[in-house]
Amino acid sequence: MTSEWGEKSTADLMSRYVSKEMGYNVPKEGWRICLAHEFKEKRKPFQAKDVSLSNIWGHIGLGVRYLKFWYKKTQVEKKAPFIDMFGAQPLRQIYGAPLGGIGGGTITRGWRGEFCRWQLNPGMYHYKTVIPNQFTVCLRREGKTVYQQVLSVERPPTLQGWNWGYCGEYAFYHALYPRAWTVYDLPGQNVTLTCRQISPVIPHDYQDSSLPVAVLVWDIENKNEYDLDVSIMFTMVNGSGQKDDKCGGHWNEPFHLEKEGEAVSGVLLHHCTAVNPYTLCIAAREQSDREISHQTAFSPKGPCFSLWNDLIDDGRLDSPTGSSPPTVKGEKVAAAVAVGCSVPAQGHNSLEFCLAWDMPKMTFGSQEKEHTRRYTRYFGTKGDASPSLSHYALTHYKQWERSIEEWQRPILQDSSLPSWYKSALFNELYFVADGGTVWTEMTEDADISGGICSEDGGLPAQPAVIKEYGRFAYLEGQEYRMYNTYDVHFYSSFALIMLWPKLALSVQYDIAGSVVQQDLTERLYLMSGQYSPVKTKNVVPHDIGDPDDEPWMRVNAYLIHDTAGWKDLNLKFVLQVYRDFHLTQDRQYLQDMWPICQAVMESELKFDLDGDGLIENSGYADQTYDGWIVTGPSAYCGGMWVASLCVMCKMARLLDSEESYRHYKDLLDRGSAAFEKLLWNGKYYNYDSSGRELSNSVMSDQCAGHWFLRASGLGDGEFQAFPKEKIQSALKSVFDLNVMSFAGGQMGAVNGMRPEGVPDHSSVQSDEVWIGVVYGLAATMIHEGMQEEGMRTAEGCYRTVWEKLGMAFQTPEAYCEKNIYRSLAYMRPLSIWAMQLALNTSQKDQTTTAQTGVTD
């Protein structure tokens, strides 16, 4: 099912690889790229100057208000705005799979081997490549060093006493998250190194998945007719490339930890900042035929001959005892660990390293409250856990790999699925860990109920799922710094509910608690220019806050929209509640959420202006497509309203509430009829019902409500909201126009398309491709038996992002046909897991049909 252009783009990434070595047990499936590859296309981020003149005219007020906000934030408060339209991140085509589990921070290692993206302070990123963080190989024969090389293609101006400039044509990188492999064929040495990195990101595991660790295993293949002694040296700076690396007071110390018959040794790098101090740890597992040595401290500036020569002399480091003195202001300090072993002729051996970091307690930007990370439940809060973390990782990583392989195997071995899909499905999952993710313990005094106790139609103060599994938050995007942005979580939540369902439910309880809260403080909203309450009762907040402020205490930190005016957030809450129940069968959760769902649905009814059972829009479309103007009922919001009524009927039946069932069934019958009458044009659902010139644009996401019904096991019989033949006709129209008539059918589905086959340019969003929306659209097609069309639709996005534009492990929110992308490393593409749910459902339905002989 892989297209011809797809095969070409995949081969392109490896076209400069000159070796025939394929590495040690590197899987077939995944994302593979030669270290010498260069991406031809260089795109630029969307910025204010990219807004067309016609759109500028309609947004002059917003522009002026944003400029004032931006100036105050950056020049007066000296902080980064949560969205920086004047300082978007440039595209750096360098990123690989991030290191670390979920919620403890991440360190990204680029596909060329560099440590280049850091998120240790919660939700706050910096993009500094720390050059001294490297692996170096030393080969010795008969007691003499014959080859020593930094395994990096870089040629930096510092550390010039080291041998840099490894030839990238002899190495490739392969990612299948949460693992990645880098294969180095050492030129002229008949030695192949395969570095395998493993992070404990394991579905349905709520302990090890929280650990801030990664293991890096080096498999060494000696193709010579003689034995070799091989050492690998791991160097690491105390810090992450920020200014505070030079603030003074940092220090390193060697350690040795032995327990349960296993021992590890390494160096602890204590980073002693005033806010959020942490300890980095580089370590290796001791074995009888391995030699571990270290250098406690060296200066990572100048030529640094001494460390290089120390290794080259005998393949080991001097291993001084005692701690290093604290650094003085302006100084940096680094450490090194080397491990050596003998590799027989025509033989194999391996070396194991661990990188761990321990920041057990952290504060967000406001520093109002201290939060405790999830992993401290198992490793304590004292800040001394790095040795234990590294010991645990090095003695458990093989078990992690078995769990990962067991999870991935059925999909990887499914010959009916194309290779690109297998790569996309697992590699897009990087955002669960690397999305500014925090996973914290619930404090004893926490109350998420919003002040309304469960007896009065509210929630328990401390729901059992949060007490047991903690609180979870991830960013809308690394550049859109808002936690649990709910309209986007609607799409990305499929990854959580399928793989870590307890975390998905935890998010829902947190959101539900904020629904019943209100904050009537008047605030200027940038989009409208009006003053409105921060938060009104019985509406879902846009998000739970900015990590540069105080999440969970600043409900709806988003300054652009008033939550009272956006219809899709409430509907998305209701749809997710039932989908989550359908997939977990957690009846307590359903009972807790039912009164909240009733409250938000009743708050929506005020938008049914003419009493026909269908809510109407006025002004901007909704929270998700906030750039499109819409008047009257719309395909997007109207469809989700009808779908929400359908799931309310289902929930009422499950909870034996006949009166509620009749209420919502009446609304459903009238709303469905009005929806069809006002929006169906014979082929697809019009964008809106206004009759404006552009109201008949073809919206790629027009079937979003039906998608969630299908994902929830509904959409047929008593719980059918949309005629099947109309949904299939609409999806065919989207495929023919938004997919195949856009960019030669090779870039996914454009958001808006005119019926005559040209993109809708009426807003800054209508002519964009939103990768996460495309994956959701593809899932809808699969649910409707259009698997070939669904795969073709999604393939265009994967090929564009991962193979053409060099955006691996930073999948953006959007791109245009040419030149522009927007918001790198975005939450919504996690929706690719909705495709897997659709495939699972289709296979299950086919099995049931085969067994019973019953068809629709």
Side-chain angles (χ1 to χ4, degrees), residues 790-831:
M791 285 293 177
R792 177 64 190 258
T793 297
E795 182 182 1
C797 283
Y798 174 81
R799 301 291 185 191
T800 300
V801 169
W802 289 79
E803 297 181 349
K804 181 182 176 186
L805 301 184
M807 294 176 172
F809 298 101
Q810 53 181 328
T811 304
E813 151 77 310
Y815 55 76
C816 293
E817 185 174 0
K818 296 178 181 177
N819 303 325
I820 301 297
Y821 67 85
R822 186 164 57 78
S823 185
L824 289 171
Y826 198 74
M827 175 198 286
R828 197 179 342 245
L830 286 171
S831 62

Side-chain angles (χ1 to χ4, degrees), residues 432-507:
V432 168
D434 201 25
T437 311
V438 289
W439 186 0
T440 67
E441 292 288 85
M442 189 175 202
T443 58
E444 290 184 9
D445 61 346
D447 180 352
I448 67 99
S449 69
I452 299 179
C453 61
S454 50
E455 306 89 72
D456 298 324
L459 297 168
Q462 296 199 345
V465 70
I466 298 186
K467 286 182 71 174
E468 178 60 28
Y469 297 100
R471 304 180 91 173
F472 180 86
Y474 58 158
L475 294 176
E476 178 176 338
Q478 291 178 9
E479 295 188 73
Y480 285 9
R481 215 178 53 239
M482 294 156 281
Y483 271 125
N484 292 354
T485 300
Y486 201 73
D487 65 297
V488 186
H489 174 69
F490 175 75
Y491 296 83
S492 61
S493 60
F494 281 88
L496 285 184
I497 195 60
M498 292 176 69
L499 303 175
W500 293 276
K502 302 299 184 184
L503 296 183
L505 299 189
S506 175
V507 170

Side-chain angles (χ1 to χ4, degrees), residues 54-73:
S54 59
N55 282 310
I56 286 175
W57 183 253
H59 293 86
I60 288 176
L62 170 62
V64 171
R65 289 186 291 273
Y66 177 81
L67 190 59
K68 289 179 179 177
F69 158 76
W70 182 89
Y71 181 85
K72 179 184 176 185
K73 202 75 177 173

Side-chain angles (χ1 to χ4, degrees), residues 8-17 31-39 172 798 802-804 806:
K8 182 180 183 302
S9 60
T10 299
D12 239 18
L13 298 182
M14 286 291 287
S15 63
R16 295 187 63 181
Y17 187 60
W31 181 71
R32 184 172 293 189
I33 185 169
C34 175
L35 268 58
H37 182 77
E38 292 183 11
F39 290 96
F172 70 87
Y798 174 81
W802 289 79
E803 297 181 349
K804 181 182 176 186

Side-chain angles (χ1 to χ4, degrees), residues 349-663:
N349 214 334
S350 62
L351 301 172
E352 302 165 328
F353 291 87
C354 177
L355 174 63
W357 51 98
D358 183 23
M359 185 193 289
K361 296 184 177 181
M362 84 281 182
T363 60
F364 293 100
S366 69
Q367 298 181 36
E368 291 182 35
K369 186 177 180 180
E370 190 173 65
H371 300 265
T372 303
R373 294 195 191 263
R374 166 72 175 183
Y375 75 88
T376 62
R377 176 177 291 206
Y378 315 105
F379 286 89
T381 61
K382 295 179 180 179
D384 59 358
S386 290
S388 295
L389 281 165
S390 60
H391 186 283
Y392 186 87
L394 286 165
T395 56
H396 285 77
Y397 80 88
K398 291 180 181 178
Q399 180 181 319
W400 298 343
E401 287 200 284
R402 285 193 294 271
S403 297
I404 291 166
E405 287 169 357
E406 184 180 343
W407 156 48
Q408 294 184 338
R409 187 181 299 113
I411 294 168
L412 298 179
Q413 292 183 349
D414 187 341
S415 60
S416 71
L417 298 175
S419 291
W420 70 261
Y421 171 76
K422 297 168 185 177
S423 173
L425 184 70
F426 294 113
N427 285 323
E428 291 287 12
L429 202 58
Y430 83 96
F431 197 85
V432 168
D434 201 25
T437 311
V438 289
W439 186 0
T440 67
E441 292 288 85
M442 189 175 202
T443 58
E444 290 184 9
D445 61 346
D447 180 352
I448 67 99
S449 69
I452 299 179
C453 61
S454 50
E455 306 89 72
D456 298 324
L459 297 168
Q462 296 199 345
V465 70
I466 298 186
K467 286 182 71 174
E468 178 60 28
Y469 297 100
R471 304 180 91 173
F472 180 86
Y474 58 158
L475 294 176
E476 178 176 338
Q478 291 178 9
E479 295 188 73
Y480 285 9
R481 215 178 53 239
M482 294 156 281
Y483 271 125
N484 292 354
T485 300
Y486 201 73
D487 65 297
V488 186
H489 174 69
F490 175 75
Y491 296 83
S492 61
S493 60
F494 281 88
L496 285 184
I497 195 60
M498 292 176 69
L499 303 175
W500 293 276
K502 302 299 184 184
L503 296 183
L505 299 189
S506 175
V507 170
Q508 286 290 89
Y509 273 104
D510 258 326
I511 292 293
S514 68
V515 167
V516 298
Q517 295 176 5
Q518 63 179 15
D519 180 353
L520 300 180
T521 306
E522 294 281 311
R523 179 174 64 187
L524 177 66
Y525 282 85
L526 299 185
M527 181 66 83
S528 66
Q530 299 175 346
Y531 282 87
S532 299
V534 170
K535 172 72 173 63
T536 51
K537 190 175 180 179
N538 293 339
V539 296
V540 174
H542 173 274
D543 61 88
I544 63 165
D546 178 352
D548 207 20
D549 194 354
E550 191 66 34
W552 291 305
M553 294 175 66
R554 302 284 186 272
V555 169
N556 191 37
Y558 201 31
L559 299 182
I560 292 185
H561 302 303
D562 171 11
T563 52
W566 301 100
K567 300 159 191 62
D568 61 324
L569 291 171
N570 281 1
L571 305 175
K572 287 173 176 175
F573 177 80
V574 172
L575 290 169
Q576 284 190 73
V577 164
Y578 182 72
R579 180 211 56 191
D580 294 351
F581 167 75
H582 171 69
L583 294 175
T584 64
Q585 293 298 300
D586 187 329
R587 198 166 183 84
Q588 183 61 55
Y589 165 75
L590 183 66
Q591 290 170 344
D592 287 342
M593 294 296 164
W594 173 243
I596 311 295
C597 289
Q598 288 180 297
V600 299
M601 288 297 284
E602 294 308 310
S603 75
E604 291 288 296
L605 275 173
K606 65 178 175 286
F607 298 112
D608 180 12
L609 304 179
D610 55 10
D612 63 356
L614 187 61
I615 60 171
E616 300 177 25
N617 300 72
S618 178
Y620 291 96
D622 50 73
Q623 177 54 61
T624 299
Y625 298 95
D626 52 19
W628 282 6
I629 302 294
V630 63
T631 304
S634 70
Y636 187 69
C637 277
M640 279 197 286
W641 167 250
V642 172
S644 296
L645 291 170
C646 186
V647 303
M648 289 298 285
C649 290
K650 178 66 174 180
M651 288 191 285
R653 273 281 160 86
L654 287 168
L655 296 170
D656 297 321
S657 178
E658 190 59 30
E659 182 180 350
S660 296
Y661 174 82
R662 288 196 301 271
H663 172 64

